[in-house]
Amino acid sequence: MGAAVAPAGHPALAPAVAHAAVQTSAATPDYTPPPVAWAPCAAEPLKAASAQCGTVEVPLDYSAPQKTKIKLAVSMVKHTVPDNQYQGVMLVNPGGPGGSGLGLSLLGGAVPRNVGSSYDWIGFDPRGVGSSEPRLSCIPDYGGYNRPDYDPDTGTEAAWLKRAQSYAQACKAKGGALLNHLTTVDTINDMESIRKALGTDQINYYGFSYGTYIGQVYATMFPDRVRRMVLDGVVDERNVWYEANLSQDVAFDRNEKIFFDWIAKNDNIYKLGNSGDDVEKLFYSEKDKLRQKPAGGQIGPDEFTDLFLGAGYDVRNYETVASAFSRWVHDGDAGALKAVYDGSGSPTDDNNYAIYLAVQCTDAPWPTDWNTWQDDNTKVAAKAPFEAWANAWYNAPCAFWPVKPGADKPVKIDGSKLKNLLLVSETLDGATPYEGALQARREFPNSALVEGTGGTTHAASLSSGNDCVNDHVADYLANGTLPKRKSGDTSDAQCSPLPQPTPTALAVS
């Protein structure tokens, strides 16, 4: 990877000196961690489920397994069926990168027909995340209020580039040696260590969103260690990661238009316009006003965009976002907007974001010339303006990241040796566009794809109450039954998607 090139006119933005390239060996060295010392979990609701918690000690650097160790936080909800019906451990990852999975040992309780009770459900916080040690944080309030305007046409490009570089430099200072060992492959090797610590020859795995990429890489590197695997909201392995974000921008813009159409269809409730185009125009006009005077002094154009993004992810957010929009337009209720924004995540805890960047910036090379970013995002913004620059600035620290990628290319996915795999996706998923699920189906010839036809919700199996999808999951986890694979480049089973809500009144935030 070459050095990042500062854009013309910004000589202060010279790139950081890169650390050594990240180790990405495809073979786990001879390392076996001690067994987990389980004890009752302290946190609710894990405690309420009688979950057990502990840690797995793993090498910071798998090429030097006897040197520095770090700790991964793990939790377990044990099977309750007789031992002759036990189906093994089920590791779960929520995505991100950077998502805490410790609480996902509870997921088994959501599988229909009590099928989940035949597994030991294992939640874990990946390295650097949540309760694992050490935990990475670079600038805690980096995502807080009063950031520069996302739109570079307002003259904020230089400010954003300085912020991006400052974040990358802060991660260099705070991350230390950990920053060199946060690729997806490191997580795959950690999963192997968890498997060994649990004393099992094979694992089952359930991954959401980025967790589907973890699953694809694990199945490529260790196919014999996989018994069953469910991947929901499937990452397109060909686009890791720069192109993936550009694809997201187009998909989210489409989904916001669908949301605006829904608001218009319910104009009797929201009174924001009786066509999607009118609602969209109102969104952008209100965003312009917030540039001049943030709502409540805090919700400016960035926060306004961010709080609407939830509707692009999941139809279950429609009513909350639309109600806040209506209350703002008609009553000047800034608190309603702030409640939605604050509810989408903590602006003073950047652990998820720091790990997100540390993984994405080092899994594969990013453009090192800002002019490339500028050209690509300008083109995308011309046709899909909603999220283009918000996403660009979110990822911009990768242009200055102090660690070189671990390889010239990400791991090439090869699913030919995997015996079975269940894929799940809604057709209009914004975060992981549907083409990623089709690509995984091509790469894994023994897989089957369940499609939520026409839906816009991201990675919601088991949590959504979609009986059709969840029954397919239960059938597979019960006895390995997959939908019959069809010929051609298509899904193998179709379900109605998670439905858009039918509001009867403004939702309470």
Side-chain angles (χ1 to χ4, degrees), residues 19 44 87 190 232 234 339 398 427 482:
H19 293 171
E44 296 286 357
Q87 302 215 51
D190 285 346
D232 181 7
V234 188
C398 287
T427 317
L482 291 170

Side-chain angles (χ1 to χ4, degrees), residues 447-467:
S447 67
L449 170 59
V450 176
E451 176 186 2
T453 309
T456 61
T457 295
H458 173 60
S461 61
L462 298 187
S463 70
S464 66
N466 187 320
D467 291 342

Side-chain angles (χ1 to χ4, degrees), residues 114-133:
N114 203 35
V115 169
S117 64
S118 60
Y119 294 85
D120 290 339
W121 290 79
I122 308 296
F124 69 101
D125 283 350
R127 54 174 56 205
V129 174
S131 298
S132 292
E133 300 174 14

Side-chain angles (χ1 to χ4, degrees), residues 249-309:
D249 299 340
V250 176
F252 277 129
D253 194 87
R254 174 204 63 213
N255 284 9
E256 292 299 324
K257 291 179 186 297
I258 293 171
F259 174 53
F260 294 143
D261 287 342
W262 176 86
I263 291 176
K265 185 175 72 174
N266 294 285
D267 190 49
N268 61 315
I269 301 291
Y270 301 111
K271 305 185 188 315
L272 295 168
N274 55 22
S275 75
D277 287 346
D278 286 344
V279 177
E280 184 174 24
K281 289 175 184 175
L282 182 61
F283 166 80
Y284 285 107
S285 68
E286 291 299 319
K287 182 177 172 180
D288 287 341
K289 292 177 185 177
L290 294 172
R291 288 193 170 96
Q292 308 305 317
K293 186 179 180 181
Q298 291 182 304
I299 304 298
D302 294 2
E303 291 78 18
F304 198 59
T305 298
D306 293 348
L307 69 90
F308 270 78
L309 182 60

Side-chain angles (χ1 to χ4, degrees), residues 150-156:
Y150 287 146
D151 187 349
D153 289 343
T154 61
T156 55

